Amino acid sequence: MSTSLGILAIILWGALALLGNLTKSIPAFQLLFMCFVISFLLLFIKRVLSKQALFTAPTLSLTQTVIGITGLFGFHFCYFMALKYAPLIEVSLIVYLWPLLLGVFVAKAASKLNAILGGLLGFIGIAFLISDGSSFSISTQYGLGYLFAASCALLWSSYSFMMSGFDNHVDDIGWLSLYVAALAFLAHIYFETTVISFTVNELLGIVLLGLGPVGGAFYLWDSALKRGNKTLLASLSFLTPLLSTIILVLAKQISFSWSVVFALAFVLVGAAISNVKPASNKNSEPV
């Protein structure tokens, strides 16, 4: 069941590109602020529905809170900065090193090689998908953007790994969302100009993002990593850009490409290799 929650989070992240298209005219940090406010409100909606006390102290320690804020806000900040200083394709490729890193982080010593081989196969599939089979190059003039993109991969994989080992309640994601919303608001004031009026589609996009890929998905991911199959979730995370592409094709916003099939094959084979258990290992991970 817990692993299923993580897979649902991955599916929600797959909808990010489509929903992002609805809100692309909204400044990035302003949008992030609004989405994380919705994420924070989800905490109280959940408590009302489950008839719990509305206000209870977070269970995260100060160190854990800093790690949570750094992961959630740091990832998005570095991603926006990466896009500012480097092309989208190269940024996307570097950022999607995070499932590979997470797979290596969570793998047991005897399974490290499988995690690396499986992660590399998944990454090759996603690289082909993102580039659509065309060539791409790494240029030193985009060095700062690449550094921000690499920071994204390291931050999110580290955040996921460390949060999976904490014994905090999943409700703490709501409090982290409040802190991230505050930081996003400050970044918006510093970097951007406020947009006040929104279309109906933009409002719908904001709400759906906050309920899903930039809000609700973080609750699901936290719960799944604590009690689910972390190795499987790491390898299946490569499906995120693949799902984004499929959803955009179904929404008729882009044309179908056989690179989708190629990428899917590599991701699934990579996931299978990553999850092969050593012969001497009698215990399986929870599902």
Side-chain angles (χ1 to χ4, degrees):
M1 176 61 183
S2 295
T3 301
S4 300
L5 294 179
I7 294 173
L8 179 55
I10 292 170
I11 293 173
L12 289 175
W13 287 330
L16 182 60
L18 178 63
L19 297 178
N21 281 342
L22 295 177
T23 56
K24 59 187 176 182
S25 64
I26 303 174
F29 286 113
Q30 181 181 350
L31 178 62
L32 192 66
F33 161 69
M34 292 185 288
C35 289
F36 272 99
V37 166
I38 294 173
S39 179
F40 172 59
L41 293 177
L42 284 176
L43 167 63
F44 296 99
I45 294 173
K46 179 243 183 189
R47 289 185 173 181
V48 168
L49 293 177
S50 59
K51 298 181 179 178
Q52 295 175 300
L54 286 182
F55 294 96
T56 57
T59 60
L60 286 169
S61 67
L62 177 59
T63 299
Q64 293 170 339
T65 299
V66 170
I67 291 172
I69 294 172
T70 302
L72 288 171
F73 179 74
F75 172 83
H76 291 93
F77 179 86
C78 289
Y79 182 70
F80 296 152
M81 291 298 104
L83 291 178
K84 183 177 179 179
Y85 294 108
L88 174 61
I89 290 180
E90 286 89 335
V91 167
S92 299
L93 288 174
I94 296 172
V95 168
Y96 269 97
L97 286 169
W98 78 259
L100 192 160
L101 291 174
L102 178 59
V104 174
F105 289 162
V106 301
K108 305 232 180 332
S111 303
K112 292 288 185 186
L113 181 58
N114 285 352
I116 293 172
L117 292 176
L120 285 174
L121 282 176
F123 181 74
I124 290 171
I126 294 311
F128 193 86
L129 175 71
I130 292 175
S131 65
D132 199 19
S134 61
S135 60
F136 56 89
S137 59
I138 300 296
S139 172
T140 55
Q141 67 176 312
Y142 302 125
L144 183 57
Y146 299 155
L147 180 60
F148 276 118
S151 297
C152 286
L154 184 59
L155 282 168
W156 191 250
S157 56
S158 300
Y159 162 85
S160 298
F161 174 61
M162 287 189 280
M163 290 294 288
S164 71
F166 296 159
D167 60 355
N168 65 290
H169 195 282
V170 69
D171 284 5
D172 288 333
I173 297 299
W175 296 111
L176 290 177
S177 296
L178 175 63
Y179 308 146
V180 172
L183 290 173
F185 181 75
L186 293 176
H188 164 63
I189 295 300
Y190 184 80
F191 290 108
E192 301 169 337
T193 300
T194 302
V195 171
I196 297 176
S197 60
F198 306 106
T199 65
V200 173
N201 283 342
E202 286 172 338
L203 286 172
L204 177 62
I206 293 167
V207 172
L208 291 178
L209 282 170
L211 294 176
V214 192
F218 299 130
Y219 291 86
L220 299 173
W221 188 243
D222 187 69
S223 181
L225 287 176
K226 283 176 169 56
R227 291 177 286 276
N229 186 328
K230 293 185 279 291
T231 300
L232 180 60
L233 290 172
S235 51
L236 291 182
S237 295
F238 281 114
L239 289 173
T240 303
L242 182 60
L243 289 170
S244 290
T245 303
I246 293 173
I247 290 172
L248 289 174
V249 169
L250 293 176
K252 297 183 179 180
Q253 295 200 11
I254 62 173
S255 301
F256 174 78
S257 169
W258 283 103
S259 61
V260 172
V261 179
F262 181 89
L264 178 61
F266 268 71
V267 169
L268 293 180
V269 171
I273 292 174
S274 296
N275 287 273
V276 170
K277 303 298 180 184
S280 60
N281 186 2
K282 301 297 184 182
N283 298 318
S284 59
E285 290 206 48
V287 176

